[in-house]
Amino acid sequence: MKNVLVIGSTGQIGSELTMLLRKLIPEGNIVAGYIAGAEPKGDLLESGPAELANVCKADELATIVDKYKIDTIYNLAALLSAVAESKPLLAWDIQMNGLLNILEIAKEKKCAVFTPSSIGSFGPNTPKDNTPQDTIQRPSSMYGVTKVATELLSDYYFKKFGVDTRSVRFPGLISNVTLPGGGTTDYAVDIYYSAVKGEEFVCPIKAGTFMDMMYMPDGLKAAIDIMNADPTKLIHRNAFNIASMSFDPEILYKKIKEYIPDFTMRYEFDPVRQAIADSWPNNMDDSCAREEWGWKPSYDLDSMTRSMIETLKKRFNK
Ligand code: SER
């Protein structure tokens, strides 16, 4: 991996992944791909090349791949789960037609491709606890439908055309640089912002709803390590379960209160997000990722909470 195109570089994952890749590969071209209306700013804009890279415009993507001799594409363009329920056709267009454009270019120009999958690729009849790597995937959300199809199409392009596709199933990612927006697990990010700002948090997910979650530094590590993994050791490809912690809103609230005792939270559940959350696993078994490419997270709930609060306190001068 040397010359990399990050599509969706101004989003929650992209904004941090692009900067990290520029730090790790200073000799490479790490191109920040963006769409009109979501232009990069500040460090992201100034520290390297940036190009309009709309997944629905194959010509635009092919030109960038040629111009920068791109060898690896991080395809992070997606509508998250709750917003995809309100715009299912747009979600399909971005997630599926966009992916086909990328895979075709990758086939022709010999690029490796990472397109994230998610806990959202599972559904109500998937085993909820210790969810196996290979199991039932019959999701009930449009987001989930596109994620399962992404896994299948990525494996197909690897087997049929030798395109080096690899991926992970991300848990809810908790971060403090760019807000997610439109996801079911967003509450676990928003809660920290409310706590640090001294505001009451209104939780859209019911107590007792467990989901896998992960701190962004571990998520970035996974996205990079899987692309650098020894291909001869990979039995699976699209996509690996990865896990680091699982909690419900009540456990998270109590953990934050250990550091901010005055913090308050009340519940006002959102039926769309709750139905999605109820259909997802409580916690995934990530033993295949550990065995095949040495996956190991660094953060648990306590160390993540300390880091989130410390970072946001500095940001908001609290
Ligand atoms: N974080 C995503 C969402 O909530 C799931 O991968 O939509």
Side-chain angles (χ1 to χ4, degrees):
M1 176 155 55
K2 184 173 169 235
N3 297 324
V4 183
L5 169 60
V6 181
I7 296 173
S9 68
T10 57
Q12 188 199 12
I13 303 174
S15 57
E16 295 196 47
L17 181 67
T18 309
M19 295 304 288
L20 181 57
L21 288 169
R22 284 179 179 166
K23 205 168 107 194
L24 295 175
I25 319 171
E27 72 283 9
N29 287 314
I30 313 298
V31 182
Y34 62 93
I35 50 166
E39 287 79 7
K41 298 188 193 94
D43 282 352
L44 188 57
L45 179 64
E46 281 145 30
S47 60
E51 296 280 349
L52 269 172
N54 184 332
V55 281
C56 296
K57 295 186 179 163
D59 293 350
E60 207 166 90
L61 303 178
T63 305
I64 300 169
V65 170
D66 286 340
K67 180 172 170 191
Y68 295 95
K69 301 188 170 43
I70 296 297
D71 55 65
T72 304
I73 300 173
Y74 280 93
N75 169 23
L76 307 176
L79 295 189
L80 289 183
S81 56
V83 72
E85 285 308 284
S86 63
K87 298 174 186 167
L89 297 187
L90 182 60
W92 180 269
D93 200 30
I94 294 171
Q95 268 118 271
M96 300 319 313
N97 295 330
L99 175 63
L100 267 176
N101 286 336
I102 291 166
L103 290 171
E104 277 296 305
I105 290 167
K107 180 176 88 174
E108 194 192 315
K109 299 179 189 292
K110 311 252 175 297
C111 305
V113 180
F114 176 95
T115 308
S117 189
S118 156
I119 50 175
S121 69
F122 297 112
N125 57 1
T126 301
K128 274 200 160 312
D129 291 307
N130 237 355
T131 304
Q133 172 66 38
D134 299 309
T135 186
I136 301 167
Q137 290 181 281
R138 305 285 291 178
S140 45
S141 69
M142 179 50 112
Y143 179 76
V145 169
T146 66
K147 287 297 167 190
V148 176
T150 292
E151 293 187 7
L152 294 172
L153 203 57
S154 299
D155 271 348
Y156 179 81
Y157 267 71
F158 170 65
K159 287 190 192 123
K160 183 99 179 169
F161 306 117
V163 178
D164 188 0
T165 55
R166 311 175 184 194
S167 183
V168 297
R169 295 180 182 133
F170 278 130
L173 289 171
I174 295 162
S175 65
N176 51 48
V177 174
T178 306
L179 285 168
T184 300
T185 56
D186 293 11
Y187 91 86
V189 180
D190 298 338
I191 191 172
Y192 284 103
Y193 281 73
S194 297
V196 168
K197 288 179 179 169
E199 295 163 359
E200 181 181 53
F201 182 62
V202 182
C203 186
I205 299 292
K206 288 181 188 170
T209 311
F210 282 77
M211 287 181 273
D212 273 305
M213 301 280 180
M214 182 174 288
Y215 196 28
M216 186 61 89
D218 279 330
L220 298 178
K221 190 165 106 71
I224 293 172
D225 286 356
I226 180 73
M227 296 316 279
N228 285 332
D230 175 355
T232 64
K233 304 252 163 62
L234 298 181
I235 299 162
H236 299 84
R237 277 185 167 259
N238 300 282
F240 283 92
N241 286 1
I242 53 166
S244 63
M245 60 186 100
S246 168
F247 52 73
D248 82 325
E250 207 59 27
I251 292 173
L252 180 56
Y253 171 58
K254 286 190 181 129
K255 176 51 75 180
I256 294 173
K257 266 180 94 73
E258 285 176 22
Y259 296 94
I260 306 177
D262 294 343
F263 178 46
T264 59
M265 176 174 93
R266 71 184 162 81
Y267 290 95
E268 203 172 286
F269 87 93
D270 165 10
V272 173
R273 284 183 167 80
Q274 187 62 44
I276 294 173
D278 287 340
S279 75
W280 287 357
N282 295 337
N283 55 78
M284 292 185 287
D285 170 6
D286 62 359
S287 49
C288 289
R290 288 174 187 262
E291 281 157 24
E292 292 174 40
W293 50 278
W295 159 248
K296 195 170 174 288
S298 302
Y299 286 88
D300 61 12
L301 177 57
D302 191 58
S303 52
M304 174 179 79
T305 298
R306 272 188 278 123
S307 171
M308 281 294 287
I309 292 175
E310 200 186 298
T311 309
L312 291 176
K313 275 190 168 171
K314 273 191 210 138
R315 168 108 32 92
F316 298 118
N317 293 320
K318 294 284 183 186

